[in-house]
Amino acid sequence: MKLSQLKVGQRAKVVRVKSSQELSRRLRAMGLIKEEVITVEKVAPLGDPIEIRVKGTKLSLRKKEAENVEVEVI
């Protein structure tokens, strides 16, 4: 399942990040690494951007970026 498909309040574990090397590096630097637990906090009315919580920090991702993150719902 992709991060972009999660609903508000759902928790998931990052399985992998599939994107260009630059975007992948940026997402890992923000804490989106394998096995990290994330929570979807908010989704904008049109579905973009998505606000998530990672390691106690809130991040906003574009839907296009979130589509590159594969997650497993927990």
Side-chain angles (χ1 to χ4, degrees):
M1 169 179 250
K2 295 175 182 176
L3 171 58
S4 60
Q5 298 172 312
L6 293 177
K7 305 290 182 206
V8 173
Q10 278 190 302
R11 296 181 70 211
K13 189 167 45 174
V14 176
V15 175
R16 84 178 88 172
V17 177
K18 295 189 294 186
S19 65
S20 67
Q21 192 173 20
E22 182 180 330
L23 179 59
S24 181
R25 186 177 316 129
R26 191 165 71 91
L27 293 174
R28 282 194 313 266
M30 291 192 295
L32 293 173
I33 56 175
K34 189 175 181 178
E35 300 294 321
E36 189 61 47
V37 175
I38 61 171
T39 305
V40 176
E41 297 280 328
K42 296 178 187 172
V43 178
L46 297 178
D48 191 23
I50 299 168
E51 184 177 294
I52 62 172
R53 181 177 292 275
V54 181
K55 296 182 178 179
T57 301
K58 291 182 179 180
L59 300 174
S60 289
L61 297 175
R62 292 279 181 199
K63 187 174 183 178
K64 192 172 184 176
E65 296 168 334
E67 289 175 350
N68 293 305
V69 182
E70 191 174 316
V71 296
E72 176 184 319
V73 176
I74 53 174

